[in-house]
């Protein structure tokens, strides 16, 4: 049984991961730093934090593994700079603090098409954070690259709803890598990757997440 730090516990994949982690016999405690308090649970430690100024010496950084589901969109963030802070700077800050306190396993929800050399800002940012995480020195680093996520969000995104309808209708004829990926499957893969902590750098593509 291990201590797991879950970043992004209020998002679509993060909520599903939190439910699974709290129910798992493999997890002794979930540390979930958030901006606003979560519902209490006997296995949950929920530091309320400012992600712009994370406390570097907090004892709760001492965990066995990190599962990171932090993420937004440029539209929701309001600008490219704000998007980069959430999808690049925050995961890196969390990774560095946890690693400095002895954590050796890190799993990240990235995105299909992540590539530090991409001309597309979104894909380039995702690729850059992947490369920066690899440079930290985790014994186990897993990068999940799902395509469009399926599931019920608290915050509705008009363009995403339209894409889900179109891709849902085309699902039987689409190549597997372009099909909608249920958030619950991503959550299970994220939790498994963090807890299994297989040595090395691993990339899990969208088609693999579909099973």
């Amino acid at each position: 049984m291990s201590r797991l730090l879950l970043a992004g516990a209020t998002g679509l994949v993060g909520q599903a991961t939190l439910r699974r982690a709290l129910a798992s016999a493999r997890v002794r405690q979930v540390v979930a730093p958030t901006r606003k308090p979560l519902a209490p649970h006997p296995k949950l430690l929920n530091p309320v934090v400012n992600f712009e100024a994370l406390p570097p010496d907090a004892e709760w950084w001492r965990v066995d593994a990190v599962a990171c589901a932090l993420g937004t969109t440029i539209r929701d963030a309001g600008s490219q700079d704000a998007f980069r802070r959430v999808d690049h700077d925050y995961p890196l800050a969390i990774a560095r603090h946890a690693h400095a306190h002895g954590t050796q396993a890190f799993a990240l929800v990235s995105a299909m098409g992540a590539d530090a050399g991409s001309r597309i800002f979104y894909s380039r940012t995702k690729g850059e954070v992947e490369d920066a995480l690899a440079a930290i020195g985790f014994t186990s680093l897993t990068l999940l690259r799902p395509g469009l996520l399926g599931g019920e969000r608290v915050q509705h995104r008009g363009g995403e709803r339209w894409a889900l309808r179109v891709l849902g209708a085309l699902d039987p004829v689409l190549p597997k890598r372009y099909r909608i990926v249920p958030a619950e499957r991503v959550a299970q893969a994220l939790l498994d990757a963090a807890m299994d902590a297989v040595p090395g750098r691993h990339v899990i593509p969208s088609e693999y997440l579909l099973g």
Side-chain angles (χ1 to χ4, degrees), residues 99-115:
H99 189 262
H101 285 80
T103 305
Q104 288 300 314
F106 193 99
L108 172 77
V109 179
S110 182
M112 185 170 66
D115 180 357

Side-chain angles (χ1 to χ4, degrees), residues 1-210:
M1 294 175 66
S2 304
R3 294 185 78 215
L4 173 75
L5 190 148
L6 173 61
T10 60
L12 179 62
V13 172
Q15 290 181 57
T17 306
L18 180 61
R19 289 193 298 270
R20 290 172 179 270
L22 292 174
S24 173
R26 301 179 68 189
V27 180
R28 173 169 57 87
Q29 184 179 53
V30 180
V31 180
T34 55
R35 288 192 179 91
K36 296 180 180 179
L38 300 172
H41 187 281
K43 287 172 59 173
L44 178 65
L45 175 61
N46 178 215
V48 176
V49 301
N50 175 2
F51 284 94
E52 298 285 347
L54 291 166
D57 298 322
E59 182 62 26
W60 46 261
W61 289 116
R62 298 187 185 280
V63 295
D64 298 292
V66 175
C68 184
L70 279 171
T72 185
T73 64
I74 297 172
R75 179 176 179 178
D76 287 346
S79 69
Q80 288 188 345
D81 286 345
F83 165 79
R84 185 176 175 84
R85 283 200 302 275
V86 175
D87 281 59
H88 180 278
D89 298 352
Y90 294 174
L92 278 184
I94 289 164
R96 287 168 178 153
H97 290 320
H99 189 262
H101 285 80
T103 305
Q104 288 300 314
F106 193 99
L108 172 77
V109 179
S110 182
M112 185 170 66
D115 180 357
S118 176
R119 294 183 180 182
I120 301 170
F121 177 78
Y122 179 88
S123 299
R124 184 169 68 251
T125 300
K126 293 292 190 179
E128 288 173 349
V129 73
E130 289 187 0
D131 290 350
L133 287 169
I136 290 175
F138 288 103
T139 301
S140 173
L141 174 63
T142 303
L143 307 166
L144 284 71
R145 293 180 179 172
L148 188 62
L149 297 171
E152 291 297 323
R153 294 187 185 272
V154 174
Q155 182 180 11
H156 295 292
R157 299 170 177 172
E160 194 172 75
R161 286 202 305 269
W162 177 85
L164 285 168
R165 287 198 296 269
V166 171
L167 291 179
L170 295 174
D171 191 78
V173 297
L174 283 174
K176 203 170 184 180
R177 66 176 283 126
Y178 297 113
R179 295 177 187 174
I180 296 167
V181 184
E184 293 286 346
R185 291 204 178 184
V186 180
Q188 187 62 59
L190 180 68
L191 181 60
D192 288 344
M195 300 305 295
D196 292 345
V198 177
R201 178 178 178 177
H202 311 278
V203 176
I204 302 180
S206 195
E207 57 267 32
Y208 180 87
L209 292 166
L210 284 169

